[in-house]
Amino acid sequence: MDINQQKEQFSITYVRAIAAVAGYSLYRPEVDNDSVDLGIVSRGGTGKILSPRLELQLKCTAREILEENYIKYPLNLKNYNDLKINALVPRILVVVLVPEKITDWIKQTEEELCLRYCAYWISLRGMPDTENTTNVTIEIPRSNQLTPDALQAIIQRISFGGLP
Amino acid sequence: MKVTIKDSQILKTVNPEVIQAHLQATGWHETGRIYNDAGSIWRLKKDAAPEYEILLPLEHNLGDYAERISDILKTLSAVENRDQVDILSEFITNYPNFHVQGVVMQIATPSIDKLSGEITLFGTIFERLQEIKTSLADHDYILAIKAYQERLRIHCTGDLVKVDNHFLLRNPRNFQIDNI
C-alpha cells in the first residue's frame, strides 16, 4: 500500500470513529465523482428531513499547515469548484492532519488507542469563483474540529433544512 | 441481476418533472422544500416498513444532481422491487447524442416529391428493445431501405426524445449499415 492509500485509509477510519460515537453510518458514493469520498447518514432526523446526510471530501496531510488560528490547506481547483456549488446533500471539506512519521499516527497502550492528530472541517458552499489555475488555499479555523458533538450539530442543522 | 447506474451523464438527462409525476402517481407525497426550492422532500409510508424518503433535485445545476437521481433510483428500486435500469428507462425523456444500434423495422410511405420519409427502428435503450421513429433523407434513406430489405443491422446517432410514450430520434446523423 502506498502512502496515499495509507492516508486515505487512516482518514476514513478517523471519520468512521467519530461517526460511530455520534451514532451515524457511513456510505461510499456510487456515482462516478472525485469530489465526494464519503457520506454520513443519520436515521431518525427530527426536522424536515428524516434521514439527513452530509458528504465529505477527505484530505489527509502531514505538511506544516498549522498556524496560530487557522490551518491552511492548498485544495486543488477541481475539488474547490465542486465543493463551492450548491448541493442538496451538503458537502464539506475535511482535512485530517497527521504526524510526519506513519508510526506516529497512532499511540497505543493497554489504556487507549489514540489517533493523531486532528480533523478539521469547513463548508465551501457559496465561495467565490477563483482565477487560480491549480490550487486554492483554504483557511480552516482551528476551532472547526470534527468532533462527535460538532458532527451532531451539523446533522441537526441539515435535518432542519439548514447548512452545515 | 442488480444493476446500479453510475454514469453521471445519463443520470443528468432525467428531468425532475418526470420523477415528480411518477412519485405522485405511486402514492408518495411532498412534505417540504429545502434550499430555496432547490429540492423537494417526498415521503411514502408502505406496510410496516419505516417511512421512505426521497430528496428530489429541482435544479439541474446542483452539484449533486446525478448523485441524488441515483439515490432515487435506488430507493424506488427497493420500494417497487424493480431493476434500476427498468425505472431509469421510464424516466428518460431527452437524451442528446444517443447512439442507437438495431434494425429497420418499418419504412413509411415515402414523400412524393422528395427522397425522404419516416422510418421505425428497433433498438436497445438502456438494455430494453424499443421502437424508435426517425426521419431520414437522401443517401441515409436509401441505406435504410437497403438495411430493411436485406435485414442488415444499422447504427445511428441522434437526439433521443420521448413524446407520448414513444421514442423519437431527432437530428439523426452518421446513419450506417454495420460492417460495410
Side-chain angles (χ1 to χ4, degrees):
Chain A
M1 199 189 270
D2 71 25
I3 177 73
N4 287 325
Q5 285 171 308
Q6 282 179 282
K7 282 180 171 171
E8 186 188 341
Q9 290 301 316
F10 186 79
S11 44
I12 291 171
T13 304
Y14 192 107
V15 172
R16 186 179 292 281
I18 298 200
V21 174
Y24 307 139
S25 349
L26 300 188
Y27 61 90
R28 288 285 220 161
E30 287 183 348
V31 177
D32 50 354
N33 179 329
D34 46 13
S35 284
V36 174
D37 297 304
L38 212 55
I40 295 178
V41 58
S42 153
R43 317 271 173 212
T46 47
K48 282 174 143 177
I49 303 177
L50 288 177
S51 296
R53 282 179 295 166
L54 175 69
E55 294 190 333
L56 276 59
Q57 165 78 67
L58 270 180
K59 298 288 180 191
C60 182
T61 182
R63 267 179 284 184
E64 290 289 326
I65 60 171
L66 209 55
E67 302 202 352
E68 197 185 339
N69 296 315
Y70 292 92
I71 64 160
K72 284 192 172 177
Y73 184 82
L75 184 66
N76 74 56
L77 199 62
K78 162 90 171 73
N79 289 155
Y80 178 79
N81 287 328
D82 286 346
L83 290 173
K84 76 183 177 61
I85 49 178
N86 288 348
L88 271 200
V89 171
R91 295 170 172 180
I92 58 169
L93 171 68
V94 170
V95 178
V96 180
L97 196 56
V98 291
E100 186 74 43
K101 263 176 69 188
I102 295 181
T103 48
D104 292 339
W105 288 5
I106 61 171
K107 264 203 306 200
Q108 195 173 18
T109 65
E110 278 187 87
E111 286 284 300
E112 62 175 10
L113 170 64
C114 163
L115 307 182
R116 302 173 73 204
Y117 294 114
C118 186
Y120 303 88
W121 73 275
I122 194 160
S123 165
L124 301 180
R125 188 178 180 124
M127 292 279 280
D129 290 341
T130 176
E131 287 179 1
N132 295 13
T133 51
T134 52
N135 290 320
V136 179
T137 300
I138 306 297
E139 286 188 349
I140 309 179
R142 284 178 61 179
S143 54
N144 273 23
Q145 293 164 18
L146 189 72
T147 61
D149 283 348
L151 187 58
Q152 281 170 341
I154 292 171
I155 290 285
Q156 178 81 352
R157 286 193 284 273
I158 293 172
S159 171
F160 280 89
L163 294 170
Chain B
M1 188 178 64
K2 208 171 155 230
V3 184
T4 313
I5 320 284
K6 298 181 180 192
D7 184 340
S8 57
Q9 288 313 111
I10 295 178
L11 294 165
K12 279 178 191 162
T13 62
V14 177
N15 283 318
E17 302 80 47
V18 178
I19 299 184
Q20 193 166 318
H22 178 88
L23 295 178
Q24 275 163 346
T26 51
W28 290 77
H29 59 276
E30 186 182 329
T31 60
R33 298 263 170 135
I34 45 171
Y35 306 133
N36 299 320
D37 292 338
S40 51
I41 306 162
W42 292 76
R43 296 223 182 113
L44 175 74
K45 187 92 189 105
K46 194 186 165 196
D47 311 327
E51 209 165 359
Y52 290 100
E53 184 175 62
I54 276 177
L55 289 186
L56 178 65
L58 300 174
E59 290 172 2
H60 256 104
N61 57 2
L62 284 163
D64 58 349
Y65 193 88
E67 286 85 345
R68 302 295 71 91
I69 299 293
S70 164
D71 291 344
I72 292 172
L73 292 176
K74 200 170 162 186
T75 304
L76 292 180
S77 167
V79 172
E80 300 177 13
N81 198 18
R82 289 159 71 195
D83 254 12
Q84 291 196 22
V85 175
D86 201 34
I87 300 169
L88 181 66
S89 68
E90 254 181 57
F91 288 168
I92 297 282
T93 50
N94 190 337
Y95 194 115
N97 298 312
F98 187 78
H99 189 73
V100 185
Q101 276 187 301
V103 293
V104 178
M105 210 170 78
Q106 198 182 18
I107 309 249
T109 311
S111 317
I112 296 168
D113 53 340
K114 284 182 293 198
L115 187 57
S116 68
E118 194 177 84
I119 68 160
T120 306
L121 304 171
F122 204 46
T124 25
I125 300 175
F126 306 114
E127 301 178 15
R128 239 197 201 174
L129 278 171
Q130 304 274 6
E131 282 185 24
I132 307 159
K133 284 196 192 317
T134 189
S135 293
L136 297 176
D138 305 325
H139 182 249
D140 289 348
Y141 189 58
I142 296 170
L143 276 184
I145 294 170
K146 178 179 163 66
Y148 178 72
Q149 286 175 336
E150 300 178 19
R151 304 190 184 286
L152 299 171
R153 292 183 60 84
I154 58 94
H155 59 100
C156 178
T157 303
D159 304 325
L160 189 71
V161 293
K162 198 155 143 194
V163 180
D164 297 332
N165 254 334
H166 295 288
F167 287 104
L168 303 180
L169 195 70
R170 292 197 175 134
N171 310 313
R173 49 207 178 263
N174 304 325
F175 188 92
Q176 278 169 16
I177 292 177
D178 283 357
N179 301 322
I180 61 164

